[in-house]
Amino acid sequence: MQRYFPVLNPLGLIILIFSLLMGIPLSVSWLHADNALTAYDESIFITFAFGLLLWATTRSRKRDLRVRDGFLLVVLTWVALPVFAALPLWLYVPDMSFTDAYFEATSGLTATGATVMSGLDSLPISINFWRTFLHWIGGMGVIVLAVAILPLLGIGGRQMFKAETPGPMKESSLTPRIAETAKGLWVVYLLLTVACTSSLTAVGMEFWDALMHAFSIMGLGGFSTKDASLGHFNSVPIELVAMSFALLSGINFATHFMALRQRSPKAYLKDPELPFYFGVLTVSIIALSLYLSTFNVYDGFANTLRYVAFHTISLSTSLGFATSDYTFWPMFAQLWILFLGSFIACSGSTGGGIKLMRAIILYKQVFREVVRAIHPSAIKPVRLGKAQITDKILHAVLAFSFIYMVTIVSLTLVLSATGLELITAFSAVIACLNNTGPGLNAVGPASTYAVLTDFQTWVCAFAMLLGRLELFTLIVVLTPAFWRK
Amino acid sequence: MQRYFPVLNPLGLIILIFSLLMGIPLSVSWLHADNALTAYDESIFITFAFGLLLWATTRSRKRDLRVRDGFLLVVLTWVALPVFAALPLWLYVPDMSFTDAYFEATSGLTATGATVMSGLDSLPISINFWRTFLHWIGGMGVIVLAVAILPLLGIGGRQMFKAETPGPMKESSLTPRIAETAKGLWVVYLLLTVACTSSLTAVGMEFWDALMHAFSIMGLGGFSTKDASLGHFNSVPIELVAMSFALLSGINFATHFMALRQRSPKAYLKDPELPFYFGVLTVSIIALSLYLSTFNVYDGFANTLRYVAFHTISLSTSLGFATSDYTFWPMFAQLWILFLGSFIACSGSTGGGIKLMRAIILYKQVFREVVRAIHPSAIKPVRLGKAQITDKILHAVLAFSFIYMVTIVSLTLVLSATGLELITAFSAVIACLNNTGPGLNAVGPASTYAVLTDFQTWVCAFAMLLGRLELFTLIVVLTPAFWRK
Ligand SMILES: [K+]
Ligand SMILES: [K+]
């Protein structure tokens, strides 16, 4: 057991800090006198006590973290925090099982936004605050994970993104550079959240709703304070603000950071993902609007464009807000958006899926294989911007996308084996693995994940974690080889 | 135009030979006086005349074939032959559109076995003979393609299979070694067909039915002479014979060849695919039988085992015979078999899908990436038996499986965009791309592909060709880069 102390010690500290964050919804509850105070005091006490105990008992063996420790710490953090995050929900909401509470908390922290709860409009404000705040904290975690930690762990070719990381990168120990990098990124994240909240209030949203929706948008989470999601407001300006900030959150935060530090938009022009990001989204929105027009799903082209643009951006960036029940769209349009959501979010963003960078590398490698078949001798290395993609990274990216597809097939088979209808099963897996939130059919935007059995709920929570931890981080820890001395 | 003469000349010769093969169903028709003679005489004349004309006009520019010519010749052969193969069906069957006739002929030659025809039991015997004979010819073509041609073209990592190829391999020109290799493999194919026909008659099938079903089994095609497929006979011994020869056809014919030449089963023991082939199938059959038992789909476990074993082997090797409407099985069991069919057939067999060899390489590479994540420095090369998998092959295999999955997604989206229900669309794509034949729902074993619109029919025919030509061969020829001087 003692060999895990160096990992358990920082985990204790993280849980300790997390208990302090729970003080924020407590304050919100007190401020609004929403009668939910009891949900937090016990939760805070349990979390604080557990964190302190874990930290104190494992202090004896402090040493620098190694790569293998990094895997374990990341996985334990993302598995353990939802347990504590679930407490306020479990304690407060009547008849909520621990399974459902854990699912909701995981969905919050992984910024997935799939919910098992209904009647959101009448919940105490602090409960909704907690749900969306989890997205925001999760979003912070995701950015650090994506920009600072996964590249060091070398997950799925992420080592190639090292170069973009701001901050000093020379130390051999993990901790200082992660901290340095995180600080810069969080400033950007905080500034954008403030901008999003102000913009939402400027277009007519009440402050607290604006704040909670800003949390959801910045983390690309998708929890809303309304059962009808953003459709509740039925406001084009609000939708435009949400779309703009969802697009910003889908961009690499390291690029935002560079642009801010250099006080120049040059960083955006140099980001190799952005031409694809905006190009694919623009073409998709125009094509789908034309396609939906022929089916007269909405009255008139302007109206069609409004709903198509919103759902394409919201679902494919993995935000997951809905303003209309898109399950009435022709199946092709739904599938197309599901498909986009698998790769459109940029690396280093708060979005889910395999990330645009990997999709571009895959596209270039396939194209190279075609050229190789025609001219076997004239083979050029795969390039991205000025960087050359090494074979090692190519292997890692190809293996990553392969395991991504195998995961979709396997988990769909598992859900299907437990009796779930196929399209529901398939779309639930995609929506959870990509951290999008709503799926199709029984888990579509007009319904909730409450229809799932306990076992299916756990499978979906597992899929969210897999997606957020970029598959390998979690899979590695689940292999016997990892635990061998 | 003249630069394509070296490709068009052998194509003319192939069409010429094909017209002679049409003499065989003509003889069958004459022998049985089945009143279908008129279907063949015009077809033979048109095919012969076209082949002769093409061959004669392009003789002037003979030269050795290069790799690029190889691609074009393979693609043109597989696209053009169904046009001529379709003639007897188009001319004879009342109300059959050319689209349907081309689909049926493509399904025959690619050994897919998806049919748009019903009322098979009352068709003239020579028409059914022609359909199943197409499977048999196609099977021959597939073996040569897989063992001799694709490795030279270097498709999807196939160059690694070169070593197994029997016959001299030193010439720099393609033709002699392909001819040499083909001869040895065809002897094995012919012997197994004779054995299969005899075995089927031995267990009670009438000779002509036995011959036609043997054609279907050896090519892993799946056309039957009965609307109820092999279920028509309702005989366990017939099913056992069909299963045994389907299993044999799913094995690399180069291995059969070696075993025959060495008069020893040692070649089978050395084949690195076989432990996985039999292992995965055995485990799947046992697991699915137990699973289906809990749903009481069939009376008793023995009965369940009979139907599960038959359909697992028939569908996953890509034969595609059915003895029962498996669309009434729980969806998970159907999906599992569909999934198996994507990879279980060995390389160099007449089966479809990505081939077991590639699946094993993918599995090993993913496993290596997991190990790499834990021990970044201790990286061993991927091995298969005694052979080391080079990076070039690894890239090719990874790119191949990626494009395979992208193809499934894209074609499903296309079929879905034309209004086809999702599970039908998805399973039709899988069943055609894997050259299995029957799919699920509307294209399940109790129905035919006649429900598709003309456009959807062409998409499915395209999928069959893509699958049979191992994707890259066809995709390469469709790129502008291929046609540039
Ligand atoms: K989301
Ligand atoms: K078949």
Side-chain angles (χ1 to χ4, degrees):
Chain A
M1 198 60 203
Q2 291 208 345
R3 55 190 269 233
Y4 299 115
F5 278 13
V7 174
L8 295 175
N9 188 256
L11 180 67
L13 194 64
I14 290 171
I15 294 172
L16 210 57
I17 295 169
F18 192 69
S19 77
L20 302 180
L21 290 174
M22 282 182 177
I24 300 179
L26 180 84
S27 317
V28 172
S29 177
W30 177 79
L31 204 70
H32 288 84
D34 69 355
N35 290 321
L37 277 177
T38 51
Y40 308 103
D41 46 15
E42 286 182 54
S43 307
I44 292 176
F45 175 75
I46 295 171
T47 311
F48 185 84
F50 188 93
L52 188 67
L53 205 70
L54 190 62
W55 176 78
T57 53
T58 55
R59 300 186 61 186
S60 56
R61 294 278 192 124
K62 258 192 148 175
R63 64 161 161 78
D64 272 354
L65 288 178
R66 298 187 199 122
V67 168
R68 205 198 281 218
D69 302 325
F71 279 105
L72 195 57
L73 179 57
V74 168
V75 170
L76 284 179
T77 303
W78 288 86
V79 171
L81 284 191
V83 173
F84 301 103
L87 292 177
L89 304 172
W90 189 44
L91 292 173
Y92 179 80
V93 183
D95 302 325
M96 187 176 237
S97 67
F98 183 75
T99 298
D100 280 355
Y102 185 86
F103 177 91
E104 194 79 8
T106 308
S107 182
L109 276 168
T110 58
T112 306
T115 185
V116 289
M117 296 174 74
S118 43
L120 303 175
D121 307 52
S122 54
L123 278 181
I125 187 169
S126 66
I127 293 286
N128 276 326
F129 182 92
W130 182 234
R131 291 169 72 240
T132 53
F133 189 54
L134 287 178
H135 279 337
W136 195 71
I137 302 171
M140 278 200 173
V142 168
I143 297 173
V144 176
L145 197 66
V147 179
I149 303 178
L150 294 181
L152 296 178
L153 300 184
I155 290 300
R158 274 215 173 266
Q159 52 271 45
M160 72 159 297
F161 312 136
K162 267 185 200 169
E164 312 155 31
T165 313
M169 292 288 292
K170 303 236 170 69
E171 298 83 345
S172 61
S173 152
L174 301 190
T175 332
R177 48 176 142 167
I178 292 177
E180 187 66 24
T181 309
K183 222 162 53 185
L185 295 171
W186 286 346
V187 169
V188 178
Y189 188 66
L190 192 67
L191 287 177
L192 280 172
T193 309
V194 171
C196 184
T197 311
S198 326
S199 306
L200 284 174
T201 52
V203 292
M205 215 187 250
E206 185 266 327
F207 171 75
W208 285 95
D209 269 341
L211 181 65
M212 290 187 276
H213 282 93
F215 284 161
S216 207
I217 293 168
M218 291 315 300
L220 290 172
F223 280 156
S224 172
T225 59
K226 313 290 175 190
D227 280 330
S229 187
L230 216 65
H232 172 90
F233 301 95
N234 193 18
S235 151
V236 174
I238 287 180
E239 288 163 26
L240 285 172
V241 170
M243 283 156 69
S244 309
F245 281 90
L247 282 173
L248 289 173
S249 305
I251 294 175
N252 195 334
F253 275 81
T255 306
H256 290 311
F257 175 84
M258 293 299 242
L260 196 77
R261 196 167 62 175
Q262 299 168 348
R263 306 265 186 289
S264 140
K266 218 191 288 172
Y268 294 109
L269 298 174
K270 276 203 210 148
D271 185 327
E273 290 177 296
L274 292 185
F276 292 89
Y277 183 65
F278 289 109
V280 173
L281 280 175
T282 306
V283 170
S284 294
I285 289 171
I286 295 171
L288 285 181
S289 298
L290 293 171
Y291 183 75
L292 252 71
S293 292
T294 66
F295 289 87
N296 292 310
V297 180
Y298 298 105
D299 288 337
F301 187 76
N303 224 3
T304 309
L305 187 63
R306 167 186 171 185
Y307 286 105
V308 167
F310 183 80
H311 289 97
T312 304
I313 292 176
S314 170
L315 294 167
S316 73
T317 56
S318 89
L319 170 53
F321 279 158
T323 56
S324 157
D325 187 356
Y326 57 78
T327 55
F328 288 108
W329 293 9
M331 185 51 87
F332 166 71
Q334 301 179 44
L335 289 175
W336 185 257
I337 291 181
L338 218 60
F339 172 64
L340 279 188
S342 306
F343 65 84
I344 207 75
C346 301
S347 54
S349 73
T350 52
I354 69 167
K355 308 294 173 303
L356 198 46
M357 181 74 91
R358 292 203 185 90
I360 298 169
I361 293 175
L362 286 168
Y363 165 77
K364 295 202 172 194
Q365 162 63 4
V366 166
F367 187 78
R368 185 171 77 144
E369 285 301 318
V370 170
V371 172
R372 193 211 295 273
I374 306 172
H375 306 288
S377 48
I379 263 318
K380 286 174 203 155
V382 177
R383 292 185 162 282
L384 193 70
K386 278 173 199 157
Q388 181 177 325
I389 311 292
T390 64
D391 275 2
K392 197 173 148 190
I393 286 169
L394 209 49
H395 284 164
V397 170
L398 285 163
F400 180 89
S401 52
F402 177 71
I403 205 119
Y404 172 79
M405 303 215 214
V406 168
T407 304
I408 292 174
V409 172
S410 316
L411 293 184
T412 303
L413 282 170
V414 169
L415 287 186
S416 164
T418 61
L420 203 60
E421 177 266 322
L422 184 56
I423 297 180
T424 303
F426 172 72
S427 68
V429 169
I430 297 258
C432 290
L433 191 67
N434 288 343
N435 301 114
T436 308
L440 309 180
N441 282 14
V443 293
S447 170
T448 76
Y449 280 72
V451 297
L452 302 185
T453 65
D454 271 10
F455 177 76
Q456 292 162 351
T457 306
W458 284 106
V459 171
C460 286
F462 178 67
M464 293 175 194
L465 287 170
L466 265 180
R468 197 78 287 181
L469 298 179
E470 308 232 326
L471 301 164
F472 272 94
T473 321
L474 185 46
I475 289 170
V476 159
V477 172
L478 294 178
T479 53
F482 182 85
W483 297 95
R484 244 172 259 141
K485 188 84 192 171
Chain B
M1 198 60 204
Q2 292 206 348
R3 54 189 270 233
Y4 299 115
F5 278 13
V7 174
L8 295 176
N9 187 256
L11 181 66
L13 194 65
I14 289 170
I15 294 171
L16 210 57
I17 295 169
F18 193 69
S19 77
L20 301 180
L21 290 174
M22 282 182 177
I24 300 178
L26 180 83
S27 317
V28 172
S29 177
W30 177 79
L31 202 71
H32 288 83
D34 69 355
N35 291 320
L37 276 177
T38 50
Y40 309 102
D41 47 15
E42 286 181 55
S43 307
I44 292 177
F45 175 76
I46 295 172
T47 310
F48 184 85
F50 188 92
L52 189 66
L53 204 71
L54 189 62
W55 176 76
T57 52
T58 55
R59 303 187 58 189
S60 56
R61 293 281 190 122
K62 257 191 152 175
R63 64 161 161 79
D64 272 354
L65 289 177
R66 297 184 202 124
V67 167
R68 204 197 281 219
D69 303 325
F71 279 104
L72 195 57
L73 180 58
V74 167
V75 170
L76 285 179
T77 303
W78 287 86
V79 171
L81 284 191
V83 174
F84 300 104
L87 292 177
L89 305 172
W90 190 43
L91 292 172
Y92 179 81
V93 183
D95 301 325
M96 186 176 238
S97 68
F98 183 75
T99 298
D100 279 356
Y102 185 86
F103 177 90
E104 193 80 7
T106 307
S107 182
L109 276 167
T110 57
T112 305
T115 185
V116 288
M117 296 173 75
S118 43
L120 303 175
D121 306 52
S122 54
L123 278 181
I125 186 170
S126 65
I127 293 287
N128 275 326
F129 182 91
W130 181 233
R131 291 168 73 239
T132 52
F133 190 54
L134 287 178
H135 279 338
W136 195 71
I137 302 171
M140 277 200 174
V142 168
I143 296 172
V144 176
L145 196 67
V147 180
I149 304 179
L150 294 182
L152 296 178
L153 300 185
I155 291 301
R158 274 215 173 266
Q159 52 273 41
M160 72 160 298
F161 311 136
K162 265 184 200 167
E164 313 155 31
T165 315
M169 291 288 295
K170 305 237 171 67
E171 298 83 346
S172 60
S173 152
L174 299 191
T175 331
R177 49 175 142 168
I178 292 177
E180 187 66 24
T181 309
K183 223 161 53 185
L185 295 172
W186 285 348
V187 168
V188 178
Y189 189 65
L190 192 67
L191 288 176
L192 280 172
T193 309
V194 170
C196 184
T197 311
S198 326
S199 305
L200 284 173
T201 52
V203 291
M205 216 186 248
E206 184 267 328
F207 171 74
W208 285 95
D209 269 342
L211 181 65
M212 290 187 275
H213 281 94
F215 284 161
S216 207
I217 293 169
M218 291 314 301
L220 290 173
F223 280 156
S224 172
T225 59
K226 313 291 175 191
D227 280 329
S229 187
L230 217 65
H232 173 90
F233 301 94
N234 193 19
S235 151
V236 174
I238 287 180
E239 288 164 26
L240 286 173
V241 170
M243 284 155 70
S244 308
F245 282 91
L247 284 174
L248 289 172
S249 306
I251 294 176
N252 194 334
F253 275 81
T255 305
H256 289 313
F257 175 84
M258 293 298 241
L260 196 77
R261 197 167 60 175
Q262 300 169 347
R263 305 266 185 291
S264 140
K266 218 190 290 171
Y268 294 108
L269 297 175
K270 276 204 213 144
D271 184 326
E273 289 176 295
L274 292 185
F276 292 88
Y277 182 65
F278 288 110
V280 173
L281 281 174
T282 307
V283 170
S284 294
I285 290 170
I286 294 170
L288 285 180
S289 297
L290 291 171
Y291 183 75
L292 252 71
S293 291
T294 66
F295 288 88
N296 291 311
V297 180
Y298 299 104
D299 288 337
F301 187 76
N303 224 4
T304 308
L305 186 63
R306 168 185 171 185
Y307 286 106
V308 167
F310 184 81
H311 289 98
T312 304
I313 292 176
S314 171
L315 294 167
S316 72
T317 57
S318 88
L319 169 53
F321 279 157
T323 55
S324 158
D325 187 356
Y326 57 78
T327 54
F328 288 107
W329 293 8
M331 185 53 86
F332 166 71
Q334 301 180 44
L335 289 175
W336 184 257
I337 291 182
L338 219 60
F339 173 64
L340 278 188
S342 307
F343 66 83
I344 207 75
C346 300
S347 54
S349 73
T350 53
I354 67 166
K355 308 293 173 304
L356 198 45
M357 182 75 91
R358 291 203 186 90
I360 298 169
I361 293 175
L362 286 169
Y363 165 76
K364 294 202 173 196
Q365 163 61 5
V366 167
F367 187 77
R368 186 172 74 143
E369 285 301 318
V370 170
V371 172
R372 193 209 297 273
I374 307 172
H375 306 288
S377 50
I379 262 321
K380 286 175 202 156
V382 177
R383 293 185 161 283
L384 194 70
K386 279 175 199 155
Q388 180 177 325
I389 311 293
T390 64
D391 274 3
K392 198 173 147 188
I393 286 168
L394 209 49
H395 283 164
V397 170
L398 284 164
F400 181 89
S401 51
F402 177 72
I403 206 119
Y404 172 79
M405 303 214 214
V406 169
T407 304
I408 292 173
V409 173
S410 316
L411 294 183
T412 303
L413 283 170
V414 170
L415 287 186
S416 165
T418 62
L420 202 61
E421 176 267 322
L422 183 56
I423 297 180
T424 303
F426 171 71
S427 68
V429 168
I430 297 258
C432 290
L433 191 66
N434 288 344
N435 301 113
T436 307
L440 309 179
N441 281 13
V443 294
S447 169
T448 75
Y449 280 71
V451 297
L452 302 185
T453 65
D454 270 11
F455 177 76
Q456 291 162 350
T457 307
W458 285 105
V459 171
C460 286
F462 178 68
M464 292 176 194
L465 287 170
L466 266 180
R468 198 78 289 183
L469 298 178
E470 308 231 326
L471 301 164
F472 272 94
T473 322
L474 185 47
I475 289 170
V476 159
V477 172
L478 295 178
T479 52
F482 182 85
W483 298 95
R484 245 172 258 141
K485 190 87 191 171

